[in-house]
Amino acid sequence: MTTTISKTPPDTVKAVPVREYGRWAFLVVIVAALALVVRAFAGADIDYSVTREFLTASNVLTGLGNTVVISVLAQALGIALGVLFAILGRSRHREIRAVSAAYVWLFRGTPVIVQLLLWYNLALVIPEVTLPGIGSWQTNDLMTPFVAALLGLGINEGAYMAEIVRAGIDSVDEGQTEAAHALGMRRALTLRRIVLPQAMRVIVPPTGNEFVSMLKTSSLAYAIQYGELLQSAVKIYSNNLKIVELLLTVTIWYVVLTTVATVLQRFLERRYSKGVRR
């Protein structure tokens, strides 16, 4: 029995690209919206030379420096508190775990602006601070705008960082801890040398996001008279009435700060994910 093979070539398959009308419609809407915004700002009564002039004004640069200082210090305080309460949350003692949970619950559950105002007005509750054997001070003298801003922002941030650190620690396989204990390492040493270095890969990205958020949230310290970037602009436009111009100046500086923070975040992410990058 013989098989006859046809020598006629098969029909050429014609691939027809999928029509993506929705994508094009979306782009048209976005471009149109941007054009309207640009047109509105271009036609508005805005003196952009004032915006450029105050970018390097001494008052604005002082506010910019204060924003960076309070953001870095508050984030550092938040990280320290976050690590501490994340570790306390894994304690074998129920009472200590309850304290950690209460801290996270309380400070995540109230607005930052309320916490800032409470710290700034602490003298209404505790007029005087006394340390036995050392001395006593008026709370008003201790609770300066800088201290109130640092405590309000840092302690609030600590509650979020506690959850981030907890998630990072939970991401490390339990077998790593058991193996370390089998080698005779104590809990603290295991946490410092084995668990936390591996957890950093999970902790760093959200921590970077938190710092970018902190740079912007620090503007709330304006409400307690801390001289950060926004308050510097408000003082200036209260005199010259160039409100939008100064707000644009502030916007430019915030974009610069968050861009630098984002670049640093990417660098740290690459550093701590060397072993798992694809």
Side-chain angles (χ1 to χ4, degrees):
M1 180 178 179
T2 58
T3 303
T4 303
I5 300 175
S6 174
K7 295 183 179 179
T8 305
D11 294 337
T12 303
V13 176
K14 294 182 180 179
V16 179
V18 177
R19 308 296 183 189
E20 298 180 336
Y21 299 112
R23 184 182 66 172
W24 290 108
F26 175 75
L27 289 176
V28 168
V29 171
I30 293 297
V31 171
L34 287 175
L36 290 175
V37 171
V38 171
R39 181 183 178 188
F41 273 85
D45 184 18
I46 300 175
D47 187 351
Y48 290 101
S49 65
V50 174
T51 300
R52 289 195 299 273
E53 175 188 348
F54 280 97
L55 272 175
T56 54
S58 60
N59 289 352
V60 173
L61 292 180
T62 300
L64 176 68
N66 289 340
T67 291
V68 174
V69 168
I70 196 66
S71 299
V72 171
L73 293 180
Q75 187 68 39
L77 177 60
I79 291 173
L81 291 173
V83 173
L84 173 64
F85 279 94
I87 293 174
L88 293 180
R90 301 174 64 84
S91 171
R92 288 171 293 185
H93 306 290
R94 185 172 55 187
E95 296 79 6
I96 296 178
R97 292 200 305 271
V99 170
S100 174
Y103 167 75
V104 174
W105 167 75
L106 178 61
F107 288 98
R108 277 206 320 170
T110 50
V112 184
I113 186 67
V114 173
Q115 295 177 37
L116 287 169
L117 292 172
L118 282 173
W119 283 110
Y120 190 56
N121 293 286
L122 187 65
L124 298 175
V125 182
I126 306 173
E128 188 175 270
V129 176
T130 301
L131 293 179
I134 299 178
S136 62
W137 302 268
Q138 294 294 316
T139 305
N140 267 335
D141 296 333
L142 296 177
M143 200 55 65
T144 63
F146 171 77
V147 174
L150 178 61
L151 293 176
L153 295 172
I155 293 176
N156 177 77
E157 180 64 21
Y160 289 92
M161 285 304 305
E163 289 296 275
I164 291 172
V165 175
R166 179 187 61 79
I169 293 175
D170 288 345
S171 70
V172 180
D173 189 86
E174 187 64 25
Q176 302 271 342
T177 302
E178 295 172 358
H181 289 167
L183 292 173
M185 296 177 71
R186 295 184 177 180
R187 286 172 59 88
L189 184 60
T190 300
L191 186 67
R192 191 174 76 250
R193 300 289 297 275
I194 304 297
V195 177
L196 282 180
Q198 298 184 69
M200 288 299 289
R201 180 175 56 86
V202 175
I203 293 173
V204 166
T207 302
N209 289 335
E210 286 295 312
F211 181 62
V212 171
S213 177
M214 176 66 77
L215 285 169
K216 295 175 290 183
T217 306
S218 65
S219 62
L220 294 177
Y222 152 77
I224 57 172
Q225 306 303 313
Y226 177 67
E228 45 73 56
L229 184 57
L230 178 60
Q231 199 204 40
S232 301
V234 171
K235 284 183 177 177
I236 295 171
Y237 74 60
S238 297
N239 292 323
N240 64 12
L241 301 182
K242 298 291 185 181
I243 298 174
V244 177
E245 288 83 349
L246 266 299
L247 290 179
L248 289 177
T249 300
V250 168
T251 300
I252 291 172
W253 274 124
Y254 275 120
V255 169
V256 171
L257 290 178
T258 54
T259 301
V260 172
T262 302
V263 171
L264 292 175
Q265 176 188 348
R266 295 288 183 267
F267 170 78
L268 289 174
E269 285 181 19
R270 284 199 298 270
R271 177 181 173 83
Y272 285 102
S273 62
K274 285 181 179 176
V276 295
R277 273 189 297 177
R278 297 177 179 175

